[in-house]
Amino acid sequence: MASGNYRNGTPKSSLKVDKPLSVNSNIKPSVKSKPSPTSALRRSSPGSLAGGKDAGVLGRVRVAVRLRPRNAEELVADADFADCVELQPELKRLKLRKNNWDSDTYEFDEVLTEFASQKRVYEVVAKPVVESVLEGYNGTVMAYGQTGTGKTFTLGRLGEEDTAARGIMVRSMEDILADISLETDSVSVSYLQLYMETIQDLLDPGNDNIPIVEDPKTGDVSVPGANLVEIRDQQSFVELLRHGEAHRFAANTKLNTESSRSHAILMVHVRRSVKGRHDKEVGLSIENGNASNLVKHLRPPIVRKSKLVVVDLAGSERIDKSGSEGHTLEEAKSINLSLSALGKCINALAENSPHVPVRDSKLTRLLKDSFGGTARTSLVVTIGPSPRHRGETASTIMFGQRAMKVENMVKLKEEFDYKSLARRLDIQLDKVIAEHERQQKVFEDEVQRINIEAQNRISEAERNYANALENERLKFQEDYMESIKKLEERWVVNKEKLGNDRTGIEAKDEWLDKTCSQERPMSSAQEEIVEAKQLLQNEIRLRQAAEEELHNLKSQLVQRERSEAGGSAEILKLCKMLEDEAQQKEKLEKEIAILKSQLLQLSFEADETRRSLDRGGSGKMFNGFDSLMNQVRHPQTKDSGDGQKASVAKLFEQVGLQKILSLLESEDADVRIHAVKVVANLAAEEANQEKIVEVGGLTSLLMLLRSSEDETIRRVAAGAIANLAMNETNQELIMAQGGISLLSMTAADAEDPQTLRMVAGAIANLCGNDKLQTKLRIEGGIKALLGMVRCGHPDVLAQVARGIANFAKCESRSSSQGTKAGKSFLIDDGALPWIVQNANNDASPIRRHIELALCHLAQHEVNAKDMISGGALWELVRISRDCSREDIRNLAYRTLTSSPTFQAELRRLRVEF
Ligand code: ADP
Ligand code: MG
């Protein structure tokens, strides 16, 4: 195949990619390109038509082409001719013969030959869609093609006589029933026919004018008037399809038409409850006793309600042939209205056109979600092999090619079950309260336990000391007894000794008398007393020691308690000291500033005195000027601003403006600086402005911008110019004297944000003059403003934003008056990206001005396209919803609703507005 013949929905000469393709797009701009190896989306099975399944992912409409085998008639009639198409399934390409030597090549997501089994067709066309319906996404499977090419064969075959022949509807239901649980989930179906813009219920043919209902909030379409039959087993579904088919046949006979003129639509509603996930989380967090986690994880139970729509479209030949083969006008209008509207919508979506005519027909309204909506959609285009129908086949192929460009935003159809959330919240609340009470109790118990423990310890210590005392006492008692015992023993020994020396009682008595009367009373009684005394003293000492110990311990306890309390007092004290220090520091800093300025003043005065002495008395003017300067330079050392102004004004009169202006050109840099400051101060007063301009002050200031090397001078001069630029006459004068280019130059050289703020302020004022718009723009005013955003200082940005808002307002006015045509200069000069970027700036002065600017820009249709592509539409939508200022909010809303371009875009994006 010559690669030059390759086409992909566009003639080879104009082969190009119109828009960025989705990640899973298989459309290739060149035959040579390989399929993307890093498809971001999971594929259900090799060669499946569906892309990923994540919520909110871009999914292109997947398109397969299926060729019907030659039928008996074709086998005979076309015996001498080749098929009009040649399939290359392994390359997923189809060649459409133009003549004997030339053909066009098209690429599809899947190319199904005449030998493709029904099973394979189901697997590549419908199974991925069914799987995603089971996961909670909407899905659509559709067949498009000329009558007799196998749409009904592909979708609707019941396959009762031969199970291999079962079509997509039957196989889909088998898969659905196999996957769901009939206890918690449910499946119900409606089966409809759309003929001449009328929807008829194929399950109840009497019901033949069913309206389409659109949810105003979500935009979801439904046909609540149709019968919805719950399906619990495959057999009843096949039965239902058979009934539907019979009714379709009967209805068509009655209406004197054929099924090829009507669309058959099967809607399968799947409702599944999503269980387990959140319950588990809640359980876990309760176990951890973490109440805040518990609330965070609490979510309502979720039900997924998804819908599979299978559409057997009317024969595509009807589009071309309507009117030419004796159809009634009404029929031609309506049968094909739906099909041609579908074609138009697909074209519009494929071209990314802002307007998609979804509302033009019932079919497109019903399929709103299937093309460019949130459903996963597969289309099978059926073609016949006969060269006699080459034209039909070609147009079918082109339809498929265009459909391949349609991108859907596949979204999970989950809903929260709020009632059961409320129930669960009640339960959780009870649990949380109980948990809280439990923890409170535990805390109190712990406090009590610690108290008891402390008391126990104290009494144990007391007990220990008492025991120790008792032990000591016992020990001494024992010692005492011991010594008595020893004495007695000694006595016995002595006695025995005596008995041995002398016999008889006398001897004993004698000894006894002796010892008792002489020694014993002295030694033993006294000894005892002494000993007892000692013991007593010992005991007293011990007791004292113990008491002392006890006292020590007690005082230690008290001290510890005190030191704990003292710790926090210490911290408080330190904090206070720190605060005092900070205040002191601040005060000192202020004082330093004042002292510095006084120092400056003194040195300046000394200089001036020296100069006036040098000039020999010609310093009268300077004396006056000096004190003026002092006022200007050190306002903080003076009491009131009014006093200052009064003396400025007074000196102004005394010294004379002309003289002050002449000082702007002084050779002395200090004098120049002070002079320009004086002029700036004067220019801040409206009453002085006219006079300043009259005596040439504006010209002098502009000259300073041009010639001064000193940034301070340029900054103050720009400030003075900004003040003068508040007046309309002055604005014209500034412009006439090349003010814009001088200000731009100053802006380009300046680094100091304050200089930039002055310059931006001056330009912003000029931007508010209707008459100067064009000149200002030509001389680079807008560019200069935009150049200053580099500094990023919020004060500068606020002035830039003000300038842009002023400019946009004037422009909007002149556009309305017809004095300006064409796009905004702001857009031409590239301001839009900055505007969009800062439309939601945290600083309110910036945000407000930009919001106003956006509203002004949006008032003119010429700007709309650029604003959409620049992202400004979203900002306008945000402003119309969230802006805290009611007037701006309303202005944005009015602007959005009155612009057809914005409206179309919002519709296209399906934004409710
Ligand atoms: P359509 O619905 O597009 O008008 P049908 O599905 O009614 O076409 O098919 C027309 C005829 O062609 C039927 O007799 C059908 O059995 C036969 N047919 C269609 N596709 C195939 C196929 N892939 N294999 C065999 N027969 C087919
Ligand atoms: Mg059919």
Side-chain angles (χ1 to χ4, degrees):
M1 179 202 74
S3 66
N5 289 337
Y6 176 73
R7 285 195 185 181
N8 195 348
T10 42
K12 63 178 181 188
S13 53
S14 61
L15 181 69
K16 61 176 182 232
V17 180
D18 299 334
K19 55 177 180 155
L21 296 173
S22 70
V23 280
N24 59 334
S25 168
N26 267 348
I27 306 177
K28 299 179 203 83
S30 153
V31 163
K32 285 175 187 123
S33 66
K34 293 266 180 308
S36 159
T38 52
S39 169
L41 301 169
R42 181 164 72 82
R43 285 187 156 239
S44 167
S45 61
S48 77
L49 292 181
K53 296 195 169 67
D54 298 337
V57 294
L58 267 186
R60 184 169 54 69
V61 170
R62 320 289 292 183
V63 183
V65 61
R66 184 182 199 186
L67 177 66
R68 170 177 57 68
R70 283 188 180 201
N71 57 27
E73 187 213 325
E74 284 162 345
L75 283 171
V76 177
D78 301 333
D80 296 336
F81 301 96
D83 284 353
C84 68
V85 291
E86 182 190 323
L87 305 190
Q88 298 175 312
E90 65 291 349
L91 296 174
K92 301 191 174 174
R93 283 192 213 139
L94 171 152
K95 284 180 169 183
L96 177 65
R97 244 181 270 288
K98 285 208 286 203
N99 45 48
N100 280 341
W101 62 92
D102 199 7
S103 60
D104 289 329
T105 303
Y106 300 92
E107 199 158 332
F108 283 90
D109 291 306
E110 201 63 47
V111 169
L112 299 160
T113 67
E114 64 268 46
F115 309 112
S117 67
Q118 290 281 77
K119 179 167 183 283
R120 174 159 165 72
V121 173
Y122 170 72
E123 271 166 8
V124 298
V125 174
K127 194 175 169 101
V129 178
V130 171
E131 280 172 353
S132 72
V133 167
L134 285 167
E135 284 172 17
Y137 304 88
N138 282 349
T140 312
V141 177
M142 224 179 294
Y144 179 95
Q146 190 188 354
T147 300
T149 51
K151 296 183 296 296
T152 308
F153 183 89
T154 301
L155 299 178
R157 280 288 286 262
L158 301 181
E160 285 178 307
E161 64 295 344
D162 170 14
T163 48
R166 284 167 303 154
I168 282 174
M169 289 178 180
V170 174
R171 288 175 194 263
S172 300
M173 186 56 79
E174 274 170 4
D175 275 358
I176 291 173
L177 288 173
D179 196 67
I180 62 161
S181 139
L182 285 174
E183 280 143 42
T184 52
D185 309 334
S186 68
V187 191
S188 43
V189 301
S190 304
Y191 198 15
L192 310 167
Q193 165 168 277
L194 174 59
Y195 176 67
M196 285 181 70
E197 291 307 278
T198 312
I199 300 175
Q200 186 177 19
D201 193 340
L202 285 177
L203 304 178
D204 174 15
N207 189 5
D208 61 3
N209 196 4
I210 302 173
I212 299 175
V213 176
E214 207 164 319
D215 185 324
K217 270 206 209 108
T218 60
D220 286 347
V221 285
S222 58
V223 273
N227 268 340
L228 198 59
V229 179
E230 185 163 354
I231 303 292
R232 301 189 69 82
D233 59 78
Q234 185 66 20
Q235 197 44 47
S236 61
F237 177 65
V238 173
E239 206 54 45
L240 183 139
L241 283 185
R242 205 206 325 272
H243 264 105
E245 231 10 78
H247 287 144
R248 193 177 180 197
F249 181 77
N252 290 331
T253 314
K254 193 168 133 204
L255 291 165
N256 195 19
T257 176
E258 354 151 0
S259 64
S260 65
R261 297 185 199 181
S262 70
H263 312 280
I265 301 160
L266 177 76
M267 288 183 170
V268 183
H269 299 265
V270 180
R271 186 194 153 101
R272 310 190 80 174
S273 56
V274 183
K275 271 200 169 162
R277 200 169 74 206
H278 303 305
D279 296 340
K280 238 182 259 160
E281 281 167 5
V282 169
L284 269 182
S285 41
I286 289 174
E287 273 162 33
N288 295 342
N290 189 338
S292 67
N293 249 355
L294 182 147
V295 173
K296 224 187 323 185
H297 285 300
L298 202 61
R299 300 248 173 79
I302 292 169
V303 282
R304 287 187 181 157
K305 290 187 198 166
S306 49
K307 188 168 72 177
L308 171 68
V309 183
V310 183
V311 191
D312 186 351
L313 289 166
S316 60
E317 73 285 355
R318 299 289 158 191
I319 294 184
D320 304 328
K321 294 190 179 158
S322 62
S324 65
E325 284 188 353
H327 291 276
T328 66
L329 184 61
E330 205 49 39
E331 209 181 39
K333 259 200 288 183
S334 60
I335 307 170
N336 307 312
L337 179 87
S338 269
L339 206 55
S340 59
L342 178 65
K344 279 183 200 155
C345 286
I346 289 198
N347 285 349
L349 285 163
E351 284 157 17
N352 223 353
S353 147
H355 178 61
V356 181
V358 170
R359 299 186 161 277
D360 285 6
S361 76
K362 291 214 165 139
L363 180 68
T364 47
R365 282 177 67 196
L366 276 175
L367 295 180
K368 185 175 138 191
D369 198 37
S370 307
F371 287 102
T374 61
R376 183 175 304 291
T377 297
S378 262
L379 172 70
V380 54
V381 295
T382 56
I383 54 172
S386 170
R388 283 173 293 148
H389 296 299
R390 198 192 159 282
E392 299 294 357
T393 305
S395 85
T396 301
I397 287 168
M398 293 318 293
F399 181 89
Q401 290 284 302
R402 283 191 297 273
M404 278 176 80
K405 293 188 181 174
V406 176
E407 306 235 11
N408 286 5
M409 185 61 84
V410 182
K411 279 202 184 123
L412 196 58
K413 299 289 179 186
E414 273 185 351
E415 279 178 11
F416 290 130
D417 188 345
Y418 283 103
K419 267 192 201 144
S420 94
L421 171 68
R423 277 196 304 279
R424 239 165 71 178
L425 276 175
D426 275 344
I427 296 169
Q428 294 306 339
L429 191 64
D430 284 349
K431 281 188 184 157
V432 170
I433 290 171
E435 174 68 18
H436 176 71
E437 280 176 356
R438 198 179 63 75
Q439 283 181 0
Q440 181 82 21
K441 179 86 177 47
V442 168
F443 176 71
E444 282 167 5
D445 287 354
E446 183 68 11
V447 169
Q448 206 173 357
R449 192 185 62 74
I450 291 171
N451 258 339
I452 291 172
E453 201 175 303
Q455 270 170 3
N456 283 348
R457 280 199 194 153
I458 291 172
S459 41
E460 196 184 315
E462 282 175 353
R463 233 189 353 264
N464 285 345
Y465 281 107
N467 285 346
L469 275 178
E470 180 66 13
N471 286 346
E472 285 294 306
R473 201 180 59 78
L474 285 175
K475 205 173 138 228
F476 283 111
Q477 214 167 20
E478 251 169 45
D479 288 353
Y480 177 68
M481 297 302 282
E482 189 87 350
S483 34
I484 300 262
K485 220 162 110 192
K486 274 182 190 154
L487 271 176
E488 273 178 359
E489 275 167 14
R490 235 177 31 220
W491 176 74
V492 172
V493 171
N494 281 343
K495 196 183 80 176
E496 273 171 9
K497 223 155 103 187
L498 276 176
N500 284 346
D501 295 344
R502 299 159 59 182
T503 49
I505 295 160
E506 306 88 48
K508 186 192 168 192
D509 289 344
E510 196 182 321
W511 183 85
L512 263 179
D513 285 346
K514 219 166 139 188
T515 35
C516 287
S517 65
Q518 295 169 15
E519 291 171 35
R520 212 176 151 223
M522 274 306 289
S523 63
S524 88
Q526 274 181 2
E527 258 171 43
E528 266 174 46
I529 288 169
V530 169
E531 232 170 298
K533 260 186 184 170
Q534 253 171 11
L535 276 176
L536 200 64
Q537 266 169 359
N538 269 351
E539 209 164 315
I540 286 170
R541 257 204 317 279
L542 279 170
R543 191 181 288 269
Q544 271 173 350
E547 269 171 8
E548 226 163 79
E549 185 76 46
L550 195 67
H551 181 75
N552 269 349
L553 277 173
K554 272 187 183 164
S555 66
Q556 266 174 28
L557 198 69
V558 169
Q559 207 160 3
R560 224 172 98 187
E561 276 168 7
R562 242 188 241 145
S563 75
E564 266 167 25
S568 44
E570 190 76 1
I571 290 173
L572 277 178
K573 217 166 98 190
L574 282 173
C575 281
K576 179 86 181 64
M577 268 162 71
L578 206 64
E579 232 167 72
D580 288 349
E581 286 290 324
Q583 269 171 8
Q584 193 69 16
K585 190 175 155 220
E586 208 172 300
K587 229 154 95 189
L588 284 173
E589 273 170 359
K590 267 188 202 152
E591 261 166 21
I592 289 171
I594 292 171
L595 284 172
K596 268 189 186 163
S597 68
Q598 280 172 354
L599 186 68
L600 264 176
Q601 181 182 357
L602 284 174
S603 62
F604 182 72
E605 274 167 8
D607 272 352
E608 291 304 321
T609 317
R610 186 174 42 75
R611 265 192 218 110
S612 66
L613 282 174
D614 286 348
R615 284 172 193 142
S618 65
K620 193 176 171 235
M621 175 186 78
F622 282 92
N623 286 340
F625 186 48
D626 268 359
S627 62
L628 170 67
M629 287 322 302
N630 295 340
Q631 305 258 353
V632 171
R633 277 184 300 147
H634 312 299
Q636 70 268 52
T637 60
K638 302 294 171 201
D639 294 343
S640 84
D642 284 353
Q644 180 194 332
K645 272 182 207 153
S647 47
V648 170
K650 207 166 121 208
L651 282 157
F652 175 29
E653 275 166 25
Q654 279 175 10
V655 178
L657 188 56
Q658 208 102 47
K659 282 185 184 157
I660 296 175
L661 289 179
S662 73
L663 289 174
L664 289 176
E665 287 149 49
S666 160
E667 275 167 29
D668 189 318
D670 278 342
V671 175
R672 280 202 305 273
I673 288 182
H674 294 301
V676 74
K677 281 185 179 172
V678 174
V679 176
N681 266 286
L682 292 171
E685 291 290 309
E686 216 182 315
N688 302 331
Q689 288 177 353
E690 201 181 331
K691 203 155 197 181
I692 292 173
V693 175
E694 212 177 84
V695 297
L698 180 57
T699 315
S700 307
L701 288 166
L702 286 168
M703 216 152 75
L704 282 180
L705 282 192
R706 189 194 313 272
S707 60
S708 179
E709 300 277 301
D710 184 325
E711 178 150 357
T712 311
I713 292 188
R714 287 201 305 252
R715 178 178 74 232
V716 181
I721 294 168
N723 276 333
L724 295 176
M726 290 192 291
N727 165 309
E728 208 179 309
T729 324
N730 293 349
Q731 287 164 356
E732 283 162 31
L733 279 173
I734 292 170
M735 292 296 288
Q737 298 185 31
I740 276 295
S741 53
L742 289 172
L743 287 164
S744 309
M745 218 167 65
T746 313
D749 291 344
E751 296 296 339
D752 179 8
Q754 289 314 317
T755 311
L756 292 172
R757 181 170 76 98
M758 301 294 177
V759 175
I763 300 182
N765 284 343
L766 298 173
C767 282
N769 189 318
D770 292 295
K771 289 183 234 160
L772 302 175
Q773 296 268 294
T774 313
K775 191 167 160 59
L776 188 105
R777 189 263 173 143
I778 291 172
E779 292 180 7
I782 300 171
K783 291 241 159 85
L785 270 182
L786 291 172
M788 282 183 272
V789 304
R790 71 177 189 277
C791 120
H793 192 289
D795 288 351
V796 179
L797 300 189
Q799 292 302 331
V800 173
R802 184 169 71 87
I804 286 174
N806 275 348
F807 198 92
K809 186 173 71 189
C810 292
E811 242 186 6
S812 168
R813 251 195 317 249
S814 38
S815 292
S816 317
Q817 290 160 359
T819 50
K820 177 176 185 323
K823 248 193 274 178
S824 163
F825 290 145
L826 289 169
I827 294 177
D828 284 339
D829 278 3
L832 203 52
W834 186 78
I835 294 178
V836 172
Q837 217 172 50
N838 287 276
N840 203 9
N841 194 302
D842 284 340
S844 66
I846 304 174
R847 191 173 62 247
R848 287 286 165 266
H849 284 126
I850 293 187
E851 284 172 347
L852 273 173
L854 277 170
C855 290
H856 289 310
L857 285 175
Q859 308 218 311
H860 299 282
E861 271 310 272
V862 278
N863 297 331
K865 256 204 166 123
D866 290 88
M867 293 187 74
I868 289 170
S869 62
L873 175 58
W874 294 119
E875 292 305 330
L876 281 165
V877 171
R878 178 191 61 74
I879 296 165
S880 74
R881 288 179 178 161
D882 300 343
C883 180
S884 59
R885 262 185 55 185
E886 197 186 346
D887 52 341
I888 300 182
R889 208 169 57 233
N890 291 341
L891 181 60
Y893 184 80
R894 274 202 312 277
T895 311
L896 280 176
T897 43
S898 61
S899 154
T901 312
F902 287 140
Q903 280 299 305
E905 177 69 4
L906 289 169
R907 266 200 308 277
R908 193 181 77 79
L909 296 168
R910 282 153 219 273
V911 174
E912 286 300 323
F913 206 77

